[in-house]
Amino acid sequence: MRWRLLRRRLSISSPRMAVRSHLPWPLRWAVVAVMLGFSGALALWAFEFGRGLAGLPGRDLDAQRSQLAEVRQALDAARRDRDQAQSIANSADSLLKAERVTQQKLAEQVRALEAETQMLKADLGFFERLLPAAGEGLSIRGLQIEPAGAGQWRYQLLVMQQGGRSPAEFRGTVELTLGGQRDGKPGAQPAAVFKQALQFRQYRRIDGTLVAPPGVQPRQVQVRVLDEAGAVRATQVQPL
């Protein structure tokens, strides 16, 4: 019997032993509190150390908030200044575009005035050549004839009346006749190729295009001014 009990105690099937501490409960709670405090202090130190490594201040939150508010105010002021400067730049751009449009219009007006001045100068030169000689009566001045193609000529002339500042009104007709050869026969005088009624006091400018009749080879142009009775008051011949 004893042998069986001894073998049971020495074998695997022997009963388990439990070793228990005999520390009192207040001492156990004190140890736990110390461990928790140490762990909290270690965690706080790690947190502050990490903030220091990141370049963030660990304390003085009120000062940080104040600095952040100042930075925001400065940013808002910079944005307002930017918007104001952008508005001024847009206004200046609009004014610049309007100024460019005005300059273009002025340049166009200057070109138009220069062209008109050239035309006036040409007319002035034409009229200067047409200044009448001393005396009274009708005269044909400034007769100009230029070729304008096969069988055509452009003409320009001025009929003037010399009778003081307020001469009497003239009424009559002006005729242009082409003289030359007809069908190879010299001396033939065709009918007038241009005829127009005249009514003026001091001068009348006449221009147009002459067209030779079929079979006529013109050699000269004759201009005649006739009054209402058919009398010739002025005449001029110009070769072609």
Side-chain angles (χ1 to χ4, degrees):
M1 192 67 176
R2 292 181 179 177
W3 171 252
R4 290 181 179 178
L5 292 174
L6 180 61
R7 188 175 59 179
R8 182 179 299 175
R9 291 178 179 178
L10 296 177
S11 62
I12 299 176
S13 60
S14 62
R16 296 180 179 180
M17 295 178 59
V19 180
R20 296 182 179 179
S21 174
H22 295 282
L23 292 175
W25 286 106
L27 185 59
R28 291 182 181 181
W29 284 112
V31 172
V32 171
V34 170
M35 293 180 64
L36 290 176
F38 179 76
S39 299
L42 183 62
L44 180 61
W45 175 83
F47 177 75
E48 294 293 337
F49 183 74
R51 290 175 63 89
L53 290 178
L56 301 174
R59 297 180 181 179
D60 200 3
L61 296 179
D62 294 336
Q64 295 177 11
R65 291 174 181 175
S66 177
Q67 292 178 0
L68 181 59
E70 292 178 358
V71 171
R72 288 179 177 175
Q73 292 178 359
L75 180 59
D76 294 338
R79 288 176 177 174
R80 289 193 295 270
D81 294 340
R82 182 203 61 187
D83 295 339
Q84 185 176 3
Q86 185 67 33
S87 177
I88 294 174
N90 293 336
S91 301
D93 189 28
S94 299
L95 292 175
L96 182 59
K97 291 180 179 179
E99 184 67 20
R100 288 177 180 174
V101 172
T102 303
Q103 290 181 358
Q104 291 178 357
K105 291 183 179 179
L106 290 176
E108 292 177 357
Q109 292 179 0
V110 169
R111 287 193 292 268
L113 290 175
E114 289 179 351
E116 185 177 358
T117 302
Q118 294 295 331
M119 293 178 62
L120 291 176
K121 287 182 179 180
D123 291 342
L124 179 60
F126 175 75
F127 282 107
E128 286 178 349
R129 293 192 302 269
L130 301 179
L131 288 176
E136 295 184 357
L138 289 177
S139 61
I140 301 172
R141 310 288 298 178
L143 178 59
Q144 297 180 3
I145 300 177
E146 299 176 353
Q152 296 183 2
W153 289 266
R154 286 191 298 268
Y155 65 90
Q156 184 180 20
L157 60 96
L158 190 72
V159 180
M160 301 187 68
Q161 184 174 206
Q162 307 169 31
R165 295 185 177 179
S166 57
E169 186 179 43
F170 174 80
R171 294 185 179 184
T173 57
V174 60
E175 293 182 354
L176 277 75
T177 303
L178 292 174
Q181 296 181 356
R182 179 187 292 272
D183 298 329
K185 297 179 180 180
Q189 295 291 333
V193 293
F194 176 80
K195 187 174 182 180
Q196 178 178 326
L198 288 179
Q199 183 177 352
F200 65 94
R201 285 188 178 273
Q202 293 182 341
Y203 64 89
R204 177 71 178 274
R205 185 174 180 176
I206 303 170
D207 55 8
T209 302
L210 294 176
V211 180
V216 175
Q217 294 81 34
R219 294 291 182 267
Q220 64 182 15
V221 175
Q222 182 183 19
V223 182
R224 297 194 307 168
V225 179
L226 298 86
D227 59 14
E228 291 182 321
V232 177
R233 299 288 301 276
T235 183
Q236 185 174 348
V237 178
Q238 181 169 330
L240 296 178

